Structure formats: structure tokens, C-alpha cells
Coordinates of all heavy atoms in Angstrom, one line a residue:
M1016 N 5.1 20.0 -14.2 CA 3.7 20.2 -13.6 C 3.8 21.2 -12.5 O 4.6 21.1 -11.6 CB 3.1 18.9 -13.1 CG 1.7 19.0 -12.8 SD 0.9 17.4 -12.6 CE 1.5 17.0 -10.9
R1017 N 3.0 22.2 -12.5 CA 3.1 23.2 -11.5 C 2.1 22.9 -10.3 O 1.2 22.1 -10.5 CB 2.8 24.6 -12.0 CG 1.8 24.7 -13.0 CD 1.5 26.1 -13.4 NE 0.1 26.3 -13.8 CZ -0.5 27.4 -14.2 NH1 0.2 28.4 -14.4 NH2 -1.8 27.4 -14.5
G1018 N 2.3 23.6 -9.2 CA 1.4 23.4 -8.1 C 1.3 22.0 -7.4 O 0.3 21.5 -7.0
V1019 N 2.5 21.4 -7.4 CA 2.6 20.0 -6.9 C 2.4 20.1 -5.4 O 3.0 20.9 -4.7 CB 3.9 19.4 -7.2 CG1 4.1 18.0 -6.4 CG2 4.1 19.1 -8.6
T1020 N 1.5 19.3 -4.8 CA 1.2 19.3 -3.4 C 1.6 18.0 -2.7 O 1.9 18.0 -1.5 CB -0.3 19.6 -3.1 OG1 -1.1 18.5 -3.8 CG2 -0.7 20.9 -3.7
H1021 N 1.6 16.9 -3.5 CA 2.0 15.6 -2.9 C 2.8 14.8 -3.8 O 2.8 15.0 -5.0 CB 0.7 14.8 -2.6 CG -0.1 15.3 -1.5 ND1 -1.0 16.4 -1.7 CD2 -0.2 14.9 -0.2 CE1 -1.6 16.6 -0.5 NE2 -1.1 15.7 0.4
R1022 N 3.6 13.9 -3.2 CA 4.4 13.0 -4.0 C 4.1 11.6 -3.5 O 4.0 11.3 -2.3 CB 5.9 13.3 -3.7 CG 6.3 14.5 -4.5 CD 7.8 14.9 -4.0 NE 8.0 16.3 -4.2 CZ 8.1 16.9 -5.3 NH1 8.0 16.3 -6.4 NH2 8.3 18.2 -5.3
I1023 N 3.8 10.7 -4.5 CA 3.5 9.4 -4.2 C 4.7 8.6 -4.7 O 5.0 8.6 -5.8 CB 2.2 9.0 -4.9 CG1 1.0 9.8 -4.4 CG2 1.9 7.5 -4.7 CD1 -0.1 9.9 -5.4
T1024 N 5.3 7.8 -3.8 CA 6.4 7.1 -4.2 C 6.2 5.6 -4.0 O 5.4 5.1 -3.2 CB 7.7 7.4 -3.3 OG1 7.4 7.3 -1.9 CG2 8.1 8.9 -3.6
A1025 N 6.9 4.8 -4.8 CA 6.9 3.3 -4.7 C 8.3 2.8 -5.0 O 9.0 3.4 -5.8 CB 5.9 2.8 -5.8
T1026 N 8.7 1.7 -4.4 CA 10.0 1.2 -4.6 C 10.0 -0.2 -5.3 O 9.2 -1.0 -5.0 CB 10.7 1.0 -3.2 OG1 10.5 2.2 -2.5 CG2 12.2 0.7 -3.3
R1027 N 10.8 -0.3 -6.3 CA 10.9 -1.5 -7.1 C 11.9 -2.5 -6.3 O 12.6 -2.1 -5.4 CB 11.5 -1.3 -8.4 CG 11.2 -2.3 -9.5 CD 11.5 -1.8 -10.9 NE 12.9 -1.5 -11.0 CZ 13.6 -1.0 -12.0 NH1 12.8 -0.6 -13.1 NH2 14.8 -0.7 -12.1
E1028 N 11.8 -3.8 -6.7 CA 12.6 -4.8 -5.9 C 14.1 -4.5 -5.9 O 14.7 -4.8 -4.9 CB 12.4 -6.2 -6.6 CG 11.3 -7.0 -5.9 CD 11.1 -8.4 -6.6 OE1 12.0 -8.7 -7.5 OE2 10.2 -9.1 -6.2
D1029 N 14.6 -3.8 -6.9 CA 16.1 -3.6 -6.9 C 16.4 -2.3 -6.1 O 17.5 -1.8 -6.2 CB 16.6 -3.5 -8.4 CG 16.0 -2.3 -9.1 OD1 15.2 -1.6 -8.5 OD2 16.3 -2.2 -10.3
G1030 N 15.4 -1.7 -5.5 CA 15.6 -0.5 -4.7 C 15.4 0.8 -5.4 O 15.5 1.9 -4.8
T1031 N 15.1 0.8 -6.7 CA 14.8 2.0 -7.4 C 13.5 2.6 -7.0 O 12.5 1.9 -6.8 CB 14.8 1.8 -8.9 OG1 15.9 1.0 -9.3 CG2 14.8 3.1 -9.7
V1032 N 13.5 4.0 -6.7 CA 12.3 4.6 -6.2 C 11.7 5.3 -7.4 O 12.3 6.1 -8.1 CB 12.6 5.6 -5.1 CG1 11.4 6.3 -4.6 CG2 13.2 4.8 -3.8
F1033 N 10.3 5.1 -7.5 CA 9.6 5.8 -8.6 C 8.6 6.8 -7.9 O 8.2 6.5 -6.8 CB 8.9 4.8 -9.4 CG 9.7 4.0 -10.3 CD1 10.3 2.8 -9.8 CD2 10.1 4.4 -11.5 CE1 11.2 2.1 -10.7 CE2 10.9 3.7 -12.4 CZ 11.5 2.5 -11.9
E1034 N 8.4 7.9 -8.6 CA 7.6 8.9 -8.0 C 6.5 9.5 -8.9 O 6.8 9.7 -10.1 CB 8.5 10.0 -7.5 CG 7.8 11.1 -6.7 CD 8.8 12.1 -6.2 OE1 9.7 11.7 -5.4 OE2 8.7 13.2 -6.6
V1035 N 5.3 9.7 -8.4 CA 4.3 10.3 -9.1 C 3.9 11.6 -8.4 O 3.8 11.6 -7.1 CB 3.0 9.4 -9.2 CG1 1.8 10.2 -9.6 CG2 3.2 8.3 -10.2
S1036 N 3.9 12.7 -9.1 CA 3.5 14.0 -8.5 C 2.0 14.2 -8.5 O 1.4 13.9 -9.5 CB 4.3 15.2 -9.2 OG 5.6 14.9 -9.2
Y1037 N 1.5 14.8 -7.5 CA 0.1 15.1 -7.5 C -0.1 16.6 -7.2 O 0.6 17.1 -6.2 CB -0.6 14.3 -6.4 CG -2.0 14.6 -6.2 CD1 -3.0 14.5 -7.2 CD2 -2.4 15.1 -4.9 CE1 -4.3 14.9 -6.9 CE2 -3.7 15.4 -4.6 CZ -4.6 15.3 -5.6 OH -5.9 15.7 -5.3
G1038 N -0.9 17.3 -8.0 CA -1.1 18.6 -7.7 C -2.1 19.2 -8.6 O -2.9 18.5 -9.2
Y1039 N -2.0 20.6 -8.7 CA -3.0 21.2 -9.6 C -2.4 21.8 -10.8 O -1.3 22.4 -10.8 CB -3.6 22.4 -8.8 CG -4.4 22.0 -7.6 CD1 -3.9 21.9 -6.4 CD2 -5.7 21.7 -7.9 CE1 -4.7 21.4 -5.3 CE2 -6.5 21.2 -6.8 CZ -6.0 21.1 -5.5 OH -6.8 20.6 -4.5
G1040 N -3.0 21.4 -12.0 CA -2.5 21.8 -13.3 C -3.2 23.1 -13.7 O -3.9 23.7 -12.9
P1041 N -3.1 23.5 -15.0 CA -3.8 24.6 -15.5 C -5.3 24.5 -15.2 O -5.9 23.5 -15.4 CB -3.5 24.5 -17.0 CG -2.3 23.7 -17.2 CD -2.3 22.7 -16.0
G1042 N -5.9 25.6 -14.9 CA -7.3 25.7 -14.6 C -7.7 25.0 -13.3 O -8.9 24.6 -13.1
Q1043 N -6.7 24.8 -12.4 CA -7.0 24.2 -11.1 C -7.5 22.8 -11.2 O -8.2 22.4 -10.3 CB -7.9 25.1 -10.2 CG -7.3 26.4 -9.8 CD -6.0 26.3 -8.9 OE1 -6.1 25.7 -7.9 NE2 -4.9 26.7 -9.4
R1044 N -7.1 22.1 -12.3 CA -7.5 20.7 -12.4 C -6.5 19.9 -11.6 O -5.3 20.1 -11.7 CB -7.6 20.3 -13.8 CG -8.9 20.6 -14.5 CD -9.1 20.0 -15.8 NE -8.2 20.6 -16.8 CZ -8.7 21.3 -17.8 NH1 -9.9 21.5 -17.9 NH2 -7.8 21.8 -18.6
R1045 N -7.0 18.9 -10.9 CA -6.1 18.0 -10.2 C -5.5 17.1 -11.2 O -6.2 16.4 -11.9 CB -6.9 17.3 -9.1 CG -7.4 18.3 -8.0 CD -7.8 17.5 -6.8 NE -9.0 16.6 -7.1 CZ -9.3 15.6 -6.3 NH1 -8.6 15.4 -5.2 NH2 -10.3 14.9 -6.6
L1046 N -4.2 17.0 -11.1 CA -3.4 16.1 -12.0 C -2.5 15.2 -11.3 O -1.8 15.6 -10.4 CB -2.6 17.0 -13.0 CG -3.4 17.6 -14.2 CD1 -2.5 18.6 -14.8 CD2 -3.8 16.6 -15.2
L1047 N -2.3 14.0 -11.8 CA -1.3 13.1 -11.4 C -0.3 13.0 -12.6 O -0.7 12.9 -13.7 CB -1.8 11.7 -11.2 CG -2.4 11.4 -9.8 CD1 -3.0 10.0 -9.9 CD2 -1.4 11.4 -8.7
G1048 N 1.0 13.1 -12.3 CA 2.0 13.1 -13.3 C 3.2 12.2 -12.9 O 3.7 12.4 -11.8
C1049 N 3.5 11.2 -13.8 CA 4.7 10.3 -13.5 C 5.9 11.1 -13.8 O 6.0 11.7 -14.9 CB 4.5 9.1 -14.3 SG 5.8 7.9 -13.9
R1050 N 6.9 11.0 -13.0 CA 8.3 11.5 -13.3 C 9.1 10.6 -14.1 O 10.2 11.0 -14.5 CB 9.0 11.9 -12.0 CG 8.3 13.0 -11.2 CD 9.2 13.3 -10.0 NE 10.5 13.6 -10.4 CZ 11.6 13.8 -9.5 NH1 11.3 13.8 -8.2 NH2 12.8 14.1 -10.0
H1051 N 8.7 9.5 -14.5 CA 9.6 8.5 -15.2 C 9.1 8.2 -16.6 O 9.8 7.5 -17.3 CB 9.8 7.3 -14.4 CG 10.2 7.6 -13.0 ND1 11.5 7.8 -12.6 CD2 9.4 7.8 -11.8 CE1 11.5 8.2 -11.3 NE2 10.2 8.1 -10.8
C1052 N 7.9 8.6 -16.9 CA 7.4 8.4 -18.2 C 6.4 9.5 -18.5 O 6.2 10.4 -17.6 CB 6.7 7.0 -18.4 SG 5.2 6.7 -17.4
D1053 N 5.7 9.6 -19.6 CA 4.8 10.7 -19.8 C 3.3 10.5 -19.4 O 2.4 11.1 -19.8 CB 4.9 11.1 -21.3 CG 4.5 10.0 -22.2 OD1 4.1 8.9 -21.7 OD2 4.7 10.2 -23.5
W1054 N 3.2 9.5 -18.5 CA 1.8 9.2 -18.0 C 1.3 10.4 -17.2 O 2.0 11.0 -16.4 CB 1.9 8.0 -17.1 CG 0.6 7.6 -16.5 CD1 -0.4 6.9 -17.1 CD2 0.2 7.9 -15.1 NE1 -1.5 6.8 -16.2 CE2 -1.2 7.4 -15.0 CE3 0.7 8.5 -14.1 CZ2 -1.8 7.4 -13.8 CZ3 0.1 8.6 -12.9 CH2 -1.2 8.1 -12.8
Q1055 N 0.1 10.7 -17.4 CA -0.6 11.8 -16.7 C -2.1 11.4 -16.6 O -2.6 10.8 -17.5 CB -0.5 13.1 -17.5 CG 0.4 14.1 -16.8 CD 0.3 15.5 -17.3 OE1 -0.6 15.8 -18.1 NE2 1.2 16.4 -17.0
E1056 N -2.6 11.7 -15.4 CA -4.1 11.5 -15.3 C -4.8 12.6 -14.6 O -4.3 13.0 -13.6 CB -4.3 10.1 -14.6 CG -5.8 9.7 -14.6 CD -6.0 8.2 -14.4 OE1 -5.2 7.4 -14.9 OE2 -7.0 7.9 -13.8
R1057 N -5.9 13.0 -15.1 CA -6.7 14.0 -14.5 C -7.6 13.3 -13.5 O -8.2 12.3 -13.8 CB -7.5 14.8 -15.5 CG -8.0 16.1 -15.1 CD -8.8 16.7 -16.1 NE -8.0 17.0 -17.3 CZ -8.6 17.2 -18.5 NH1 -9.9 17.2 -18.7 NH2 -7.8 17.4 -19.6
I1058 N -7.6 13.9 -12.3 CA -8.4 13.3 -11.2 C -9.7 14.1 -11.1 O -9.7 15.2 -10.9 CB -7.7 13.3 -9.9 CG1 -6.3 12.7 -10.0 CG2 -8.5 12.8 -8.7 CD1 -6.3 11.2 -10.3
T1059 N -10.8 13.3 -11.2 CA -12.1 13.9 -11.0 C -12.7 13.7 -9.7 O -13.3 14.6 -9.1 CB -13.1 13.3 -12.1 OG1 -13.0 11.9 -12.1 CG2 -12.7 13.8 -13.5
S1060 N -12.4 12.6 -9.0 CA -12.9 12.4 -7.7 C -11.9 11.4 -6.9 O -11.6 10.5 -7.5 CB -14.3 11.9 -7.7 OG -14.3 10.6 -8.3
G1061 N -11.6 11.8 -5.7 CA -10.7 10.9 -4.8 C -9.8 9.9 -5.5 O -9.7 9.8 -6.7
G1062 N -9.2 9.1 -4.6 CA -8.4 8.0 -5.1 C -7.2 8.3 -5.8 O -6.6 7.5 -6.6
A1063 N -6.7 9.6 -5.7 CA -5.4 10.0 -6.4 C -4.2 9.1 -6.1 O -3.5 8.6 -6.9 CB -5.1 11.4 -6.1
R1064 N -4.1 8.8 -4.8 CA -3.0 8.0 -4.3 C -3.1 6.7 -4.9 O -2.1 6.1 -5.3 CB -3.0 8.0 -2.8 CG -1.8 7.4 -2.2 CD -1.6 7.7 -0.8 NE -0.4 7.1 -0.4 CZ 0.8 7.7 -0.6 NH1 0.9 8.9 -1.1 NH2 1.9 7.1 -0.2
H1065 N -4.3 6.1 -4.9 CA -4.5 4.7 -5.4 C -4.1 4.7 -6.9 O -3.5 3.8 -7.3 CB -6.0 4.4 -5.1 CG -6.3 3.0 -5.5 ND1 -5.9 1.9 -4.8 CD2 -6.9 2.4 -6.6 CE1 -6.3 0.8 -5.3 NE2 -6.9 1.1 -6.5
K1066 N -4.6 5.7 -7.6 CA -4.3 5.7 -9.1 C -2.8 5.8 -9.3 O -2.3 5.2 -10.2 CB -5.1 6.9 -9.7 CG -6.5 6.6 -10.0 CD -7.1 7.6 -10.9 CE -8.5 7.3 -11.3 NZ -9.5 7.9 -10.4
G1067 N -2.1 6.7 -8.5 CA -0.7 6.8 -8.7 C 0.1 5.6 -8.4 O 0.9 5.1 -9.2
L1068 N -0.3 4.9 -7.4 CA 0.3 3.6 -7.0 C 0.1 2.5 -8.0 O 0.9 1.7 -8.3 CB -0.2 3.1 -5.6 CG 0.4 3.9 -4.4 CD1 -0.2 3.5 -3.1 CD2 1.9 3.8 -4.3
D1069 N -1.2 2.5 -8.6 CA -1.6 1.6 -9.6 C -0.7 1.8 -10.8 O -0.2 0.8 -11.4 CB -3.0 1.9 -10.1 CG -4.0 0.9 -9.5 OD1 -3.5 0.1 -8.6 OD2 -5.1 0.9 -9.9
H1070 N -0.4 3.1 -11.2 CA 0.4 3.3 -12.4 C 1.9 2.8 -12.1 O 2.5 2.1 -12.9 CB 0.5 4.8 -12.7 CG 1.6 5.1 -13.7 ND1 1.5 4.8 -15.0 CD2 2.8 5.6 -13.5 CE1 2.6 5.2 -15.6 NE2 3.4 5.6 -14.7
L1071 N 2.4 3.1 -10.9 CA 3.8 2.8 -10.5 C 3.9 1.2 -10.6 O 5.0 0.7 -11.0 CB 4.1 3.3 -9.2 CG 4.3 4.9 -9.2 CD1 4.5 5.4 -7.8 CD2 5.5 5.3 -10.1
A1072 N 2.9 0.5 -10.1 CA 3.0 -0.9 -10.0 C 2.9 -1.5 -11.4 O 3.6 -2.4 -11.8 CB 1.8 -1.4 -9.2
Q1073 N 2.0 -1.0 -12.2 CA 1.7 -1.6 -13.6 C 2.8 -1.2 -14.6 O 3.3 -2.0 -15.4 CB 0.3 -1.2 -14.1 CG -0.8 -2.0 -13.4 CD -2.1 -1.4 -13.6 OE1 -2.3 -0.6 -14.6 NE2 -3.1 -1.7 -12.8
A1074 N 3.2 0.1 -14.6 CA 4.2 0.5 -15.6 C 5.6 0.3 -15.2 O 6.5 0.2 -16.0 CB 3.9 2.0 -15.9
H1075 N 5.9 0.4 -13.9 CA 7.3 0.4 -13.5 C 7.6 -0.8 -12.5 O 8.7 -0.9 -12.1 CB 7.6 1.7 -12.8 CG 7.4 2.9 -13.7 ND1 8.1 3.1 -14.8 CD2 6.5 3.8 -13.6 CE1 7.7 4.2 -15.5 NE2 6.7 4.6 -14.7
G1076 N 6.6 -1.6 -12.1 CA 6.8 -2.7 -11.3 C 7.3 -2.3 -9.9 O 7.9 -3.1 -9.2
A1077 N 6.8 -1.1 -9.4 CA 7.2 -0.7 -8.1 C 6.0 -0.7 -7.2 O 4.9 -0.4 -7.5 CB 7.8 0.7 -8.2
L1078 N 6.3 -1.1 -5.9 CA 5.3 -1.2 -4.9 C 5.4 -0.1 -3.9 O 6.5 0.1 -3.4 CB 5.3 -2.6 -4.3 CG 4.9 -3.8 -5.1 CD1 5.1 -5.1 -4.4 CD2 3.5 -3.6 -5.7
G1079 N 4.3 0.6 -3.6 CA 4.3 1.6 -2.6 C 3.3 1.3 -1.5 O 2.3 0.6 -1.7
S1080 N 3.5 2.0 -0.4 CA 2.5 1.9 0.6 C 1.4 2.8 0.3 O 1.6 4.0 -0.1 CB 3.2 2.2 2.0 OG 2.2 2.8 2.8
P1081 N 0.1 2.5 0.6 CA -1.0 3.4 0.4 C -1.0 4.5 1.4 O -1.9 5.3 1.4 CB -2.2 2.5 0.5 CG -1.8 1.3 1.3 CD -0.3 1.1 1.1
R1082 N 0.0 4.5 2.3 CA 0.0 5.6 3.3 C 0.8 6.8 2.8 O 1.4 6.7 1.8 CB 0.7 5.1 4.6 CG -0.2 4.2 5.4 CD 0.4 3.8 6.7 NE 0.9 2.4 6.5 CZ 1.7 1.9 7.5 NH1 1.9 2.5 8.6 NH2 2.1 0.7 7.3
M1083 N 0.8 7.9 3.5 CA 1.5 9.1 3.0 C 3.0 9.0 3.2 O 3.4 8.2 4.0 CB 1.0 10.3 3.8 CG -0.5 10.6 3.5 SD -1.0 10.7 1.8 CE -0.3 12.3 1.4
T1084 N 3.7 9.8 2.4 CA 5.2 9.7 2.4 C 5.8 9.9 3.8 O 6.8 9.4 4.1 CB 5.7 10.7 1.4 OG1 4.9 10.7 0.2 CG2 7.1 10.4 1.0
A1085 N 5.1 10.8 4.6 CA 5.7 11.1 5.9 C 5.8 9.8 6.8 O 6.7 9.7 7.5 CB 4.8 12.1 6.6
D1086 N 4.9 8.9 6.5 CA 5.0 7.6 7.3 C 6.3 6.8 7.0 O 6.8 6.1 7.8 CB 3.8 6.7 7.0 CG 2.5 7.3 7.6 OD1 2.6 8.2 8.4 OD2 1.4 6.8 7.3
A1087 N 6.8 7.0 5.8 CA 8.0 6.2 5.4 C 9.1 6.7 6.3 O 10.0 5.9 6.8 CB 8.3 6.4 3.9
A1088 N 9.2 8.0 6.5 CA 10.3 8.6 7.3 C 10.1 8.2 8.8 O 11.1 7.8 9.4 CB 10.1 10.2 7.3
A1089 N 8.9 8.1 9.3 CA 8.6 7.6 10.6 C 9.1 6.1 10.7 O 9.7 5.8 11.8 CB 7.1 7.7 10.9
R1090 N 8.8 5.3 9.7 CA 9.3 3.9 9.7 C 10.8 3.8 9.8 O 11.3 3.0 10.5 CB 8.7 3.2 8.5 CG 7.3 2.6 8.8 CD 7.0 1.5 7.8 NE 7.2 1.9 6.4 CZ 6.3 2.5 5.7 NH1 5.1 2.8 6.2 NH2 6.5 2.9 4.5
R1091 N 11.4 4.7 9.0 CA 12.9 4.6 9.0 C 13.4 5.0 10.4 O 14.4 4.4 10.9 CB 13.4 5.7 8.0 CG 13.7 5.0 6.6 CD 14.6 5.9 5.8 NE 14.1 7.2 5.6 CZ 13.2 7.5 4.6 NH1 12.8 6.6 3.8 NH2 12.8 8.8 4.4
Q1092 N 12.7 5.9 11.1 CA 13.2 6.4 12.4 C 13.0 5.2 13.4 O 13.9 4.9 14.2 CB 12.3 7.5 12.9 CG 12.9 8.3 13.9 CD 12.2 9.7 14.1 OE1 11.0 9.8 13.8 NE2 12.9 10.7 14.6
V1093 N 11.9 4.5 13.3 CA 11.7 3.3 14.1 C 12.8 2.3 13.9 O 13.3 1.7 14.8 CB 10.3 2.7 13.9 CG1 10.1 1.3 14.5 CG2 9.2 3.7 14.4
L1094 N 13.1 2.1 12.6 CA 14.1 1.1 12.3 C 15.5 1.5 12.9 O 16.2 0.7 13.4 CB 14.3 1.0 10.7 CG 15.0 -0.2 10.2 CD1 14.1 -1.5 10.4 CD2 15.3 0.0 8.7
L1095 N 15.8 2.8 12.8 CA 17.0 3.3 13.4 C 17.1 3.1 14.9 O 18.1 2.7 15.4 CB 17.2 4.8 13.0 CG 17.7 5.1 11.6 CD1 17.7 6.6 11.4 CD2 19.1 4.6 11.4
I1096 N 16.0 3.3 15.5 CA 15.9 3.1 17.0 C 16.2 1.7 17.3 O 16.9 1.3 18.2 CB 14.6 3.7 17.6 CG1 14.6 5.2 17.5 CG2 14.4 3.2 19.0 CD1 13.2 5.8 17.6
M1097 N 15.5 0.8 16.5 CA 15.7 -0.6 16.7 C 17.2 -1.1 16.6 O 17.7 -1.8 17.3 CB 14.8 -1.4 15.8 CG 13.4 -1.6 16.3 SD 12.3 -2.4 15.1 CE 13.2 -3.9 14.8
L1098 N 17.8 -0.5 15.5 CA 19.2 -0.8 15.3 C 20.1 -0.3 16.4 O 21.0 -1.0 16.8 CB 19.7 -0.1 13.9 CG 19.3 -0.9 12.7 CD1 19.6 0.0 11.5 CD2 20.0 -2.2 12.6
A1099 N 19.8 0.9 16.9 CA 20.5 1.4 18.1 C 20.4 0.5 19.3 O 21.3 0.2 20.0 CB 20.0 2.8 18.4
C1100 N 19.1 -0.1 19.5 CA 18.9 -1.0 20.6 C 19.7 -2.2 20.5 O 20.4 -2.7 21.4 CB 17.4 -1.3 20.7 SG 16.5 0.0 21.3
F1101 N 19.8 -2.7 19.2 CA 20.6 -4.0 19.0 C 22.0 -3.7 19.3 O 22.7 -4.5 19.8 CB 20.3 -4.4 17.5 CG 19.1 -5.3 17.4 CD1 18.2 -4.9 16.4 CD2 18.9 -6.4 18.2 CE1 17.0 -5.7 16.2 CE2 17.7 -7.2 18.0 CZ 16.8 -6.8 17.0
A1102 N 22.5 -2.6 18.8 CA 23.9 -2.2 19.0 C 24.2 -2.1 20.4 O 25.3 -2.6 20.9 CB 24.2 -0.8 18.2
A1103 N 23.3 -1.5 21.2 CA 23.5 -1.3 22.7 C 23.5 -2.7 23.3 O 24.4 -3.0 24.1 CB 22.4 -0.5 23.3
A1104 N 22.6 -3.6 22.9 CA 22.6 -5.0 23.5 C 23.9 -5.7 23.2 O 24.5 -6.4 24.0 CB 21.3 -5.7 22.9
A1105 N 24.3 -5.5 21.9 CA 25.6 -6.2 21.5 C 26.8 -5.7 22.3 O 27.6 -6.5 22.8 CB 25.9 -6.0 20.0
L1106 N 26.8 -4.4 22.6 CA 27.9 -3.7 23.3 C 27.9 -4.3 24.8 O 28.9 -4.6 25.3 CB 27.6 -2.2 23.4 CG 28.9 -1.4 23.5 CD1 29.8 -1.5 22.3 CD2 28.5 0.1 23.7
I1107 N 26.7 -4.4 25.4 CA 26.6 -4.9 26.7 C 27.0 -6.4 26.8 O 27.8 -6.8 27.7 CB 25.1 -4.8 27.2 CG1 24.8 -3.3 27.5 CG2 24.8 -5.6 28.5 CD1 23.3 -3.0 27.6
L1108 N 26.6 -7.2 25.8 CA 27.1 -8.6 25.7 C 28.6 -8.7 25.7 O 29.2 -9.5 26.3 CB 26.4 -9.3 24.6 CG 25.0 -9.8 24.8 CD1 24.4 -10.4 23.5 CD2 25.0 -10.9 25.8
W1109 N 29.1 -7.8 24.8 CA 30.6 -7.8 24.5 C 31.3 -7.4 25.9 O 32.3 -8.0 26.2 CB 30.9 -6.8 23.4 CG 32.4 -6.6 23.3 CD1 33.3 -7.4 22.6 CD2 33.2 -5.5 23.9 NE1 34.5 -6.8 22.8 CE2 34.5 -5.7 23.5 CE3 32.8 -4.3 24.6 CZ2 35.5 -4.8 23.9 CZ3 33.8 -3.5 25.0 CH2 35.1 -3.7 24.6
W1110 N 30.7 -6.4 26.5 CA 31.3 -5.9 27.8 C 31.3 -7.0 28.9 O 32.3 -7.3 29.5 CB 30.5 -4.7 28.3 CG 31.0 -4.2 29.6 CD1 32.1 -3.4 29.8 CD2 30.5 -4.5 30.9 NE1 32.3 -3.1 31.2 CE2 31.3 -3.8 31.8 CE3 29.4 -5.2 31.3 CZ2 31.0 -3.8 33.2 CZ3 29.1 -5.2 32.7 CH2 29.9 -4.5 33.6
A1111 N 30.1 -7.7 29.0 CA 29.9 -8.8 29.9 C 30.9 -9.9 29.6 O 31.5 -10.5 30.6 CB 28.5 -9.3 29.9
A1112 N 31.0 -10.2 28.4 CA 31.9 -11.3 28.0 C 33.4 -11.0 28.3 O 34.2 -11.8 28.8 CB 31.8 -11.6 26.5
S1113 N 33.7 -9.7 28.2 CA 35.1 -9.3 28.4 C 35.4 -9.2 29.9 O 36.6 -9.2 30.3 CB 35.4 -8.0 27.7 OG 34.7 -6.9 28.4
Q1114 N 34.4 -9.2 30.7 CA 34.6 -9.2 32.2 C 34.9 -10.5 32.8 O 35.5 -10.7 33.8 CB 33.3 -8.6 32.9 CG 33.0 -7.1 32.5 CD 34.1 -6.2 32.9 OE1 34.5 -6.1 34.1 NE2 34.6 -5.5 31.9
G1115 N 34.3 -11.6 32.1 CA 34.5 -12.9 32.5 C 35.9 -13.4 32.2 O 36.7 -14.0 32.8
Ligands
ZN1902 ZN1 5.3 6.1 -15.2

């Protein structure tokens, strides 16, 4: 599919990521296309993301967030910061214990 502008992703329980491309097909028609089967849907009005997620859930059993893909990266960043904080706290505890 040419003219892809967005990717809608969903993750299955086993961690497999499924993706639906969204963009403009021939004649500037908006199209959703699954990368894992031959499913395609022409979009006439809004709800492209919802339709893509619907397909991923029904055909592939994958669940995605209705938010944009960029948010997933932001969530990962928050998770990394949290992990860093835990690591720092563990280090301080270990240091305090080793001083006693
Ligand atoms: Zn599919």
C-alpha cells in the first residue's frame, strides 16, 4: 500500500505485535491494510483507528490502545524512568546496609 501515513499496532498476549497501515491508496482513497492477512478496508469517514484495532482484535486476538503509536514510546520512557528510580533506591539501600 502506498502513501502510508499512520500505523496502528496491537499486541497479543504472547507479545506478538500486529500492525495495520493507514494511508492513501489509488485515487487518494483512504485505506486501512493489515500486514498479517489480506484484510483491507476503505475508510469513508473517521474511525480509521477504531476499525484497525477492531480487525486486530477480532482476526488476530491482539489488543491495542486507542491512542496514537507515539504514546507507546512515551509510556516506555516513563517505565524506564521508574525502573531507574527503583535501581537507585536499591543501590541506596544496599549502600546503607553495607555501612552498618
Ligand atoms: Zn489481519
Side-chain angles (χ1 to χ4, degrees):
M1016 192 166 79
R1017 39 177 214 184
V1019 172
T1020 59
H1021 289 80
R1022 289 172 206 286
I1023 297 156
T1024 57
T1026 312
R1027 205 167 59 185
E1028 266 183 3
D1029 64 3
T1031 310
V1032 177
F1033 290 89
E1034 189 177 294
V1035 165
S1036 303
Y1037 168 64
Y1039 292 93
Q1043 293 297 298
R1044 274 193 287 254
R1045 296 195 296 160
L1046 282 170
L1047 274 174
C1049 182
R1050 290 187 54 188
H1051 310 277
C1052 62
D1053 56 8
W1054 178 80
Q1055 250 191 14
E1056 187 160 326
R1057 200 180 299 163
I1058 304 299
T1059 48
S1060 66
R1064 188 166 184 81
H1065 184 76
K1066 282 195 172 89
L1068 286 174
D1069 255 11
H1070 167 76
L1071 291 173
Q1073 283 165 21
H1075 305 291
L1078 293 176
S1080 149
R1082 284 184 262 175
M1083 297 309 282
T1084 319
D1086 287 350
R1090 273 201 303 277
R1091 268 199 299 278
Q1092 204 167 23
V1093 167
L1094 198 70
L1095 279 174
I1096 291 166
M1097 274 173 61
L1098 279 172
C1100 287
F1101 278 128
L1106 206 66
I1107 289 165
L1108 276 175
W1109 171 82
W1110 176 82
S1113 71
Q1114 297 301 301

